Amino acid sequence: MTDISHIEKPRSQWADVWSQFKTHKGAVAGLTVFVTLILFVTIGPFIWTVDPTYINPNAAEMIRTRNKPPSWQFPLGTDQLGRDMLARMMKGGQVSIAVGLVAMAISILLGTLVGVMAGYFKRLDGPLMRLTDLFLALPLLPLLLVMVMLFRDPLARAMGPEAGTFLLIVFAIGVTSWMQAARIVRGDVLALKEREFVLAARSIGTPSRRMILRHILPNVVSPIMVSATLGIASAIITESALSFLGLGFPPDFPTWGRLLFDGVDYIQQYPERVMWPGIAISLTVLSVNYIGDGLRDALDPRIRGR
Amino acid sequence: MLTFTIRRLLMAIPTLLFISLVIFLLVDFAPGSPMSQIPLTVPPEVRLKIIEAMGANDPLFVRYLLWLKQFFWVEPLVLFDTLFGTSHAHGMQRIVSWQSRSPVMDIIWQRLPQTLSVVGSAYVIGVLIALPIGIYSAYRQYSWFDQLGTFIAMIGFSVPTFFTGVVLILVFSVNLGWFPSIYDTSLRVTDWESFLKQVKQMAMPVAVLALYNAAQISRYMRSSMLDNLAQDYVRTARAKGMAERVVVLKHVLRNSLIPVVTVIALGIPTIFGGAIITEQVFKVNGLGALLINAIHGSDLPMVQTLTFIFAVLIVMFNLIADVLYGMLDPRIRYD
Amino acid sequence: MKLKTALLGAAATLAFAPAAFAERGADGNVKVLYSQAVSIMNAYLSSGTKDVEVGSLVLEPLAGFDNEGNVIPRLVTEIPSVENGGISEDLTTITWKLTPGLLWSDGTPVTAADAVFSYEYCTHPEGGCAQAARYEGIEKVEAVDELTVKITWTAPKPNPFTAFVGATSPILQAAQFANCLGTAAPTCTEQNFKPVGTGPFMVTDFKVNDVVELAANPNYRDAAKPAFATMTVKGGGDAAGAARAVMETGEFDYAWNTQINPELQSQMEAGGKGVFVSAFGTLVERIEMNLTNPSPDLPEGERSTAKHPHPFLSDIRVRQALSKAIDRNLLVEVGYGNAGRATCNLVPAPALYASPNTDCIEQDMEGAKALLDEAGWTVGANGIREKDGKPLKILYQTSVNAVRQDFQALVKGWWNELGVDVELKSIDGGVYFGGDPGSPDTFQKFYADVEMYANNFDGTDPEPYLAQYLCDKAPKPENGWQGENVNRFCDPAYDAMVAELATTRDMDKRGEIAIRLNEMLTKDSYVIVPLVDRGRLSAHSNTLGGVVLNTWDSELWNASDWFRIK
């Protein structure tokens, strides 16, 4: 598998990681699915140029095109107002994937930062963990409502309504979901700190920054990966919950979470309408999970060497 | 470890007081008011009178101090009275909900049984399923069992409970008629028949929640086991000729439990918090439904009390988790 | 042979009219599902519909309304009128005669003193009574004798059927609530959960916001009723779940307010386990136009106030065009089905007060476009109309609710067709209807150009409802943004006519004035754009008989007549 013949060319670490990643079947499949999904939501709207919020203003026409099953004209059918589901899935996916990834990144970054700091520096442990307790205890709904009240209008004015709403949503989700990752990372760091290799590194005077980056972080990658995958799923669902507080995007703006929620009302008559967003969310989460699996294996020098 | 525990317990008091203040300020500051529950047919003058009678117009710190007194003095006294038949708390104002005008603690006691039986057993079942699945999945990484487990776990986590709940109701209540779609909180288990009824009505909400919990915990268990299986000490232990069973279930498992303990400890307080959506779908009317109703109605005394009890549990279980870390890995020291 | 036919006939009558011969408690248990759970049984401490209605099973007023809006006696021998001398000629007093021999569920007699006490209970200045409006304008309530209650009004009262009439002003037992006046009201938990009443049922177990268990009242005035020995009122969940429990799984006999999409309605009905029943009252879903400028560029405290008229909605032609572009029948079909009908009126009922106007029902897109052209709004480059370089852009807000979001999307589509740019916004109901002056998102503050919600009035007299649109009822910073005139509508002629209505005693004349007032707000000015007259939709199983839906009083108004169809 390894290219021993190219030994004269020193290979970079990332090329190594990539070649190891490629051998992981699940990861490759996951990556393919994920890229396909991204293409579907980004390039898709340029090929399928139907407006996702278009409702036929002619009442008779609209009645005729509502609640349609999949057909050539509407590949995924239409909803109760005659809006094209394929276009809505594409448009919705843009937001859902973006929100899922960014909110997850914020929460993982915050969680890892707090967790590592608390686990590594004894002085910070108390205050940071009490802060975590505080955030865990705060009731989510009032907290979100307060955030909307304070930040929605200023953000919308500064960045335009869409960008402002996006920022508010990912920030709101990120800020209210980092605590679990922080507790997990801290627990692992507490144990790692007492391991022989860390003691050895410390005894030769390695500065804290390098200790954390080179020795601690690589060893807490796997729980972080798990948190990240689970985080995407909950961020996509939470986004739809937020729109019920008036925190989310305007009500006619589709997202996967909202399509799923709206679809549940029609599950008996038109089960496909709830299937599409359900499948899309599950596929996203599954593919990210496999990519995460592959990445973890590829990043682990012990496995890579094998 | 003992001094650490005592120190942490002492620390918890100011922490919790601070948390209670923050919660109080937050809930009070949040937009929305108890008036949202009053129909629009009620004129504004009457609305103002209602709000005044609730005491919602008193200055903030007066209400906070009153709540503190009621929570830490009156309510324990009431509890003491009911336990020992005394009447120390006679005539004292208890914490009263704005929505129902009845003592908050009484309602919480009323809701505990169904919350504990549904959400609690779902959690226990979830953990019991998740641990073996996680362990075996990691041990046989990339086997068909692992792949299937991953698949179900990921679907289970990404499909929200408002969806799975409705699907279960449609299949098992509407089409098959096996289980009731509505939870009967007045059911008393007295004999075999009523027990069976209780099991039947618990089946669907417990299944929905257990799947969700198991999905999450099994992922952490699996990844942590994988990390440890690759460690040098495992090779050493095997080389020593230890039985595979002992290696995996004693050495590897014990070292892999730290993140799992964290997740479980974080999850136990949420049992008390209830499962808002699942409770709503199956009309369990547990603590989750109580909290969300109170939040929607801006029932400040109720939200404050529930959230504060929740905070106490969080602080307590995180402390327990910290103590457990030390037991699982004696190298972890806190002093 | 003849005898046999006669016997068969008699048997058939027996079989078809089990209620007439049933004895109290013969039909076992009846299960009722409220998607909003009951918090309290005392209507004076909570005005939530669910609390008032379930409370009405136990606590009764002197008189109620039937399903046609007529006043019917409950605890009295007859309805007072000027003809029978119950109402004085000058309309300043009304005298009620209690039925002799009435007993509370605990066996003690019902007396006029109980009614006087109920009045005192609700009008206590520190009690925070939710139904205080029912007792407005009363000078005194006195017990003339054991069975006679006399109410004296401060001024002639054309509609005296407010106090002690309808589920929102029931009679409490003085003996039970004696220590619950004023500030003590909320502390009387036991009394508020298990009141002693005169209704067909009494509470045996009360779980807050969860379930109420009731049993037949042994002292109910009709010895043969109720047919059910016990009743269970479960709460929680949502409308779809409630409908399902009656229509599909058959676990419950009656579900309250099962507002689900019309298609699901017909599918559930096809299952054959139950039926939906609907009735129309005065609830109207409407779009309200903001006559003041909500622009965020204005300083706080001046936004949406009379200081700044709206840049374009103050032009009636724009408002009319927006109304013309809406196809109300389609809205009904998408959102409500049989439980709604298109309307152009703010007051859709009772017939006496309802305007015959239907000019808005027909959608008229071309007419709407012509109006906008006439008003000087020309179609710009991107299809959006503009005038003096300013685009015609509307912010349209409402509360979070699946049907309302569908309506928003549909209306947006039509307005886009007109060349109007529309931004939609949905707000959590708790915030939107909460009236918190600190929040920018309340419907009273109205920081948007148009907003949508539904409202109705209590009882059958629209006078207080129409009086909501007086100039001085506009929400503004000075009154803490409280007030019902959310449009900031202000017309001296309207104010004068409301004053005239308040002093008019002749019913036909009252009807005329109310219709005029209604039209001044709707078809004359398009300040309020009514969309749908929303009916009440509930479901009951095929085995539950005697259900008559009533929108003028408690929905459970005739629960004493319910019976099991065997």
Side-chain angles (χ1 to χ4, degrees), chain C residues 140-154:
Chain C
K140 61 178 188 245
V141 175
E142 49 197 338
V144 179
D145 59 43
E146 278 282 284
L147 296 176
T148 312
V149 188
K150 186 175 165 199
I151 302 172
T152 310
W153 309 91
T154 49

PDB file of all heavy atoms in Angstrom, chain C residues 140-154:
ATOM      1  N   LYS C 140     -74.202  48.339  42.962  1.00  0.00           N
ATOM      2  CA  LYS C 140     -74.261  47.395  44.081  1.00  0.00           C
ATOM      3  C   LYS C 140     -75.013  46.125  43.679  1.00  0.00           C
ATOM      4  O   LYS C 140     -75.837  46.131  42.764  1.00  0.00           O
ATOM      5  CB  LYS C 140     -74.901  48.043  45.307  1.00  0.00           C
ATOM      6  CG  LYS C 140     -76.315  48.501  45.087  1.00  0.00           C
ATOM      7  CD  LYS C 140     -76.881  49.077  46.384  1.00  0.00           C
ATOM      8  CE  LYS C 140     -78.362  49.353  46.246  1.00  0.00           C
ATOM      9  NZ  LYS C 140     -78.828  50.664  46.318  1.00  0.00           N
ATOM     10  N   VAL C 141     -74.692  45.048  44.401  1.00  0.00           N
ATOM     11  CA  VAL C 141     -75.416  43.789  44.236  1.00  0.00           C
ATOM     12  C   VAL C 141     -75.958  43.445  45.612  1.00  0.00           C
ATOM     13  O   VAL C 141     -75.218  43.448  46.592  1.00  0.00           O
ATOM     14  CB  VAL C 141     -74.484  42.661  43.748  1.00  0.00           C
ATOM     15  CG1 VAL C 141     -75.239  41.341  43.702  1.00  0.00           C
ATOM     16  CG2 VAL C 141     -73.918  42.989  42.384  1.00  0.00           C
ATOM     17  N   GLU C 142     -77.252  43.226  45.712  1.00  0.00           N
ATOM     18  CA  GLU C 142     -77.802  42.950  47.042  1.00  0.00           C
ATOM     19  C   GLU C 142     -78.714  41.732  47.015  1.00  0.00           C
ATOM     20  O   GLU C 142     -79.303  41.396  45.988  1.00  0.00           O
ATOM     21  CB  GLU C 142     -78.537  44.177  47.583  1.00  0.00           C
ATOM     22  CG  GLU C 142     -79.498  44.754  46.580  1.00  0.00           C
ATOM     23  CD  GLU C 142     -79.933  46.173  46.924  1.00  0.00           C
ATOM     24  OE1 GLU C 142     -79.849  46.570  48.102  1.00  0.00           O
ATOM     25  OE2 GLU C 142     -80.372  46.875  45.998  1.00  0.00           O
ATOM     26  N   ALA C 143     -78.801  41.093  48.173  1.00  0.00           N
ATOM     27  CA  ALA C 143     -79.713  39.970  48.338  1.00  0.00           C
ATOM     28  C   ALA C 143     -81.001  40.519  48.934  1.00  0.00           C
ATOM     29  O   ALA C 143     -81.052  40.887  50.111  1.00  0.00           O
ATOM     30  CB  ALA C 143     -79.110  38.928  49.261  1.00  0.00           C
ATOM     31  N   VAL C 144     -82.024  40.618  48.107  1.00  0.00           N
ATOM     32  CA  VAL C 144     -83.292  41.164  48.585  1.00  0.00           C
ATOM     33  C   VAL C 144     -83.911  40.202  49.593  1.00  0.00           C
ATOM     34  O   VAL C 144     -84.368  40.595  50.653  1.00  0.00           O
ATOM     35  CB  VAL C 144     -84.252  41.401  47.399  1.00  0.00           C
ATOM     36  CG1 VAL C 144     -85.578  41.942  47.881  1.00  0.00           C
ATOM     37  CG2 VAL C 144     -83.612  42.359  46.408  1.00  0.00           C
ATOM     38  N   ASP C 145     -83.916  38.929  49.241  1.00  0.00           N
ATOM     39  CA  ASP C 145     -84.278  37.895  50.215  1.00  0.00           C
ATOM     40  C   ASP C 145     -83.439  36.667  49.892  1.00  0.00           C
ATOM     41  O   ASP C 145     -82.534  36.725  49.063  1.00  0.00           O
ATOM     42  CB  ASP C 145     -85.788  37.611  50.199  1.00  0.00           C
ATOM     43  CG  ASP C 145     -86.265  37.142  48.828  1.00  0.00           C
ATOM     44  OD1 ASP C 145     -85.571  36.306  48.213  1.00  0.00           O
ATOM     45  OD2 ASP C 145     -87.311  37.621  48.347  1.00  0.00           O
ATOM     46  N   GLU C 146     -83.752  35.571  50.542  1.00  0.00           N
ATOM     47  CA  GLU C 146     -82.983  34.340  50.366  1.00  0.00           C
ATOM     48  C   GLU C 146     -82.756  33.973  48.903  1.00  0.00           C
ATOM     49  O   GLU C 146     -81.708  33.455  48.546  1.00  0.00           O
ATOM     50  CB  GLU C 146     -83.750  33.184  51.030  1.00  0.00           C
ATOM     51  CG  GLU C 146     -83.567  33.066  52.530  1.00  0.00           C
ATOM     52  CD  GLU C 146     -82.247  32.425  52.892  1.00  0.00           C
ATOM     53  OE1 GLU C 146     -82.137  31.203  52.756  1.00  0.00           O
ATOM     54  OE2 GLU C 146     -81.305  33.151  53.277  1.00  0.00           O
ATOM     55  N   LEU C 147     -83.747  34.231  48.065  1.00  0.00           N
ATOM     56  CA  LEU C 147     -83.677  33.744  46.693  1.00  0.00           C
ATOM     57  C   LEU C 147     -83.693  34.859  45.649  1.00  0.00           C
ATOM     58  O   LEU C 147     -83.874  34.590  44.471  1.00  0.00           O
ATOM     59  CB  LEU C 147     -84.855  32.787  46.422  1.00  0.00           C
ATOM     60  CG  LEU C 147     -84.876  31.498  47.253  1.00  0.00           C
ATOM     61  CD1 LEU C 147     -86.123  30.689  46.964  1.00  0.00           C
ATOM     62  CD2 LEU C 147     -83.640  30.659  46.968  1.00  0.00           C
ATOM     63  N   THR C 148     -83.536  36.106  46.053  1.00  0.00           N
ATOM     64  CA  THR C 148     -83.628  37.197  45.097  1.00  0.00           C
ATOM     65  C   THR C 148     -82.346  38.036  45.091  1.00  0.00           C
ATOM     66  O   THR C 148     -81.908  38.526  46.128  1.00  0.00           O
ATOM     67  CB  THR C 148     -84.827  38.106  45.420  1.00  0.00           C
ATOM     68  OG1 THR C 148     -85.949  37.275  45.633  1.00  0.00           O
ATOM     69  CG2 THR C 148     -85.096  39.074  44.285  1.00  0.00           C
ATOM     70  N   VAL C 149     -81.747  38.149  43.911  1.00  0.00           N
ATOM     71  CA  VAL C 149     -80.529  38.940  43.756  1.00  0.00           C
ATOM     72  C   VAL C 149     -80.869  40.161  42.920  1.00  0.00           C
ATOM     73  O   VAL C 149     -81.474  40.039  41.850  1.00  0.00           O
ATOM     74  CB  VAL C 149     -79.428  38.140  43.027  1.00  0.00           C
ATOM     75  CG1 VAL C 149     -78.127  38.906  43.043  1.00  0.00           C
ATOM     76  CG2 VAL C 149     -79.274  36.772  43.625  1.00  0.00           C
ATOM     77  N   LYS C 150     -80.482  41.341  43.397  1.00  0.00           N
ATOM     78  CA  LYS C 150     -80.779  42.549  42.637  1.00  0.00           C
ATOM     79  C   LYS C 150     -79.482  43.289  42.335  1.00  0.00           C
ATOM     80  O   LYS C 150     -78.696  43.579  43.235  1.00  0.00           O
ATOM     81  CB  LYS C 150     -81.720  43.445  43.440  1.00  0.00           C
ATOM     82  CG  LYS C 150     -82.199  44.651  42.664  1.00  0.00           C
ATOM     83  CD  LYS C 150     -83.227  45.427  43.479  1.00  0.00           C
ATOM     84  CE  LYS C 150     -83.427  46.808  42.882  1.00  0.00           C
ATOM     85  NZ  LYS C 150     -84.033  47.711  43.874  1.00  0.00           N
ATOM     86  N   ILE C 151     -79.258  43.552  41.048  1.00  0.00           N
ATOM     87  CA  ILE C 151     -78.060  44.281  40.629  1.00  0.00           C
ATOM     88  C   ILE C 151     -78.478  45.696  40.252  1.00  0.00           C
ATOM     89  O   ILE C 151     -79.427  45.873  39.484  1.00  0.00           O
ATOM     90  CB  ILE C 151     -77.381  43.618  39.423  1.00  0.00           C
ATOM     91  CG1 ILE C 151     -77.014  42.182  39.750  1.00  0.00           C
ATOM     92  CG2 ILE C 151     -76.165  44.409  38.986  1.00  0.00           C
ATOM     93  CD1 ILE C 151     -76.506  41.403  38.562  1.00  0.00           C
ATOM     94  N   THR C 152     -77.811  46.693  40.798  1.00  0.00           N
ATOM     95  CA  THR C 152     -78.089  48.078  40.422  1.00  0.00           C
ATOM     96  C   THR C 152     -76.887  48.616  39.661  1.00  0.00           C
ATOM     97  O   THR C 152     -75.748  48.506  40.125  1.00  0.00           O
ATOM     98  CB  THR C 152     -78.320  48.942  41.673  1.00  0.00           C
ATOM     99  OG1 THR C 152     -79.273  48.279  42.495  1.00  0.00           O
ATOM    100  CG2 THR C 152     -78.830  50.310  41.289  1.00  0.00           C
ATOM    101  N   TRP C 153     -77.153  49.135  38.474  1.00  0.00           N
ATOM    102  CA  TRP C 153     -76.073  49.657  37.637  1.00  0.00           C
ATOM    103  C   TRP C 153     -75.902  51.143  37.891  1.00  0.00           C
ATOM    104  O   TRP C 153     -76.842  51.823  38.294  1.00  0.00           O
ATOM    105  CB  TRP C 153     -76.378  49.429  36.150  1.00  0.00           C
ATOM    106  CG  TRP C 153     -76.747  48.012  35.837  1.00  0.00           C
ATOM    107  CD1 TRP C 153     -78.001  47.480  35.821  1.00  0.00           C
ATOM    108  CD2 TRP C 153     -75.863  46.941  35.534  1.00  0.00           C
ATOM    109  NE1 TRP C 153     -77.957  46.143  35.513  1.00  0.00           N
ATOM    110  CE2 TRP C 153     -76.652  45.779  35.327  1.00  0.00           C
ATOM    111  CE3 TRP C 153     -74.477  46.837  35.406  1.00  0.00           C
ATOM    112  CZ2 TRP C 153     -76.113  44.544  35.012  1.00  0.00           C
ATOM    113  CZ3 TRP C 153     -73.938  45.599  35.082  1.00  0.00           C
ATOM    114  CH2 TRP C 153     -74.741  44.479  34.898  1.00  0.00           C
ATOM    115  N   THR C 154     -74.722  51.642  37.611  1.00  0.00           N
ATOM    116  CA  THR C 154     -74.465  53.073  37.819  1.00  0.00           C
ATOM    117  C   THR C 154     -75.164  53.902  36.744  1.00  0.00           C
ATOM    118  O   THR C 154     -75.451  55.076  36.949  1.00  0.00           O
ATOM    119  CB  THR C 154     -72.959  53.380  37.777  1.00  0.00           C
ATOM    120  OG1 THR C 154     -72.418  52.764  36.614  1.00  0.00           O
ATOM    121  CG2 THR C 154     -72.264  52.849  39.006  1.00  0.00           C
TER     122      THR C 154
END
